[in-house]
Amino acid sequence: LLGVLWNWCLYGTLMVQLYVYIYNFPDDTKPLKLLVYGIFLIETLQTALSGADVYYWFVSGYGNLNHLASPYAMSFDIPVIGAVVSLSVQFFFVYRIWVLSGKKSWWLCLIICLVSLNKSYLCGRLIYFFVAVLHR
């Protein structure tokens, strides 16, 4: 419950950051704006799903201990959405490294991409294992 409440607080911070971005950088390229808005929409979905989890556990399942043992939507929203968002942001950072290096350090960018793909896959699988498999 405290984690979900903290998630809602951080979502408010994300909304302020989006407002500041829109206000200060109106001339950014369209792909960069689409990336920012897309990540914001994905985070909105994740926050809504975590709110649905809390509602399922503590409101609709009040007094029913079986509801607390069920992961409900958590088996999707944390591993899958978290992996998608982190991978998108890490790929954007790789793109920035590539551009700032004068497009010379492609080998470093390739290594970072491979490590990011591996990390996102393994984190997603590990969280899915703990949430979906162990809570059956």
Side-chain angles (χ1 to χ4, degrees):
L1 180 61
L2 293 176
V4 173
L5 292 175
W6 183 244
N7 186 19
W8 280 93
C9 291
L10 291 176
Y11 181 72
T13 304
L14 180 66
M15 290 178 71
V16 171
Q17 286 179 338
L18 181 68
Y19 172 76
V20 169
Y21 170 76
I22 291 170
Y23 185 76
N24 289 327
F25 301 102
D27 298 329
D28 272 352
T29 61
K30 195 166 217 125
L32 184 58
K33 285 183 179 182
L34 287 174
L35 178 69
V36 170
Y37 298 146
I39 289 176
F40 177 75
L41 289 175
I42 292 171
E43 283 295 326
T44 301
L45 175 67
Q46 194 271 335
T47 304
L49 286 174
S50 66
D53 285 336
V54 168
Y55 181 84
Y56 174 78
W57 292 325
F58 298 113
V59 178
S60 70
Y62 181 74
N64 185 357
L65 295 179
N66 291 333
H67 274 238
L68 293 176
S70 170
Y72 194 57
M74 182 195 278
S75 60
F76 170 76
D77 64 15
I78 293 176
V80 175
I81 294 176
V84 167
V85 168
S86 69
L87 194 64
S88 302
V89 171
Q90 288 167 357
F91 278 177
F92 176 73
F93 286 150
V94 166
Y95 169 74
R96 293 302 300 159
I97 291 171
W98 184 61
V99 168
L100 292 174
S101 71
K103 301 180 181 179
K104 294 179 183 176
S105 60
W106 60 269
W107 54 271
L108 177 65
C109 295
L110 180 65
I111 291 171
I112 294 172
C113 282
L114 291 175
V115 169
S116 296
L117 276 170
N118 191 30
K119 181 204 69 88
S120 292
Y121 174 75
L122 290 177
C123 285
R125 292 297 298 170
L126 184 66
I127 294 172
Y128 175 78
F129 175 76
F130 280 116
V131 171
V133 175
L134 293 180
H135 282 90
R136 286 186 183 176

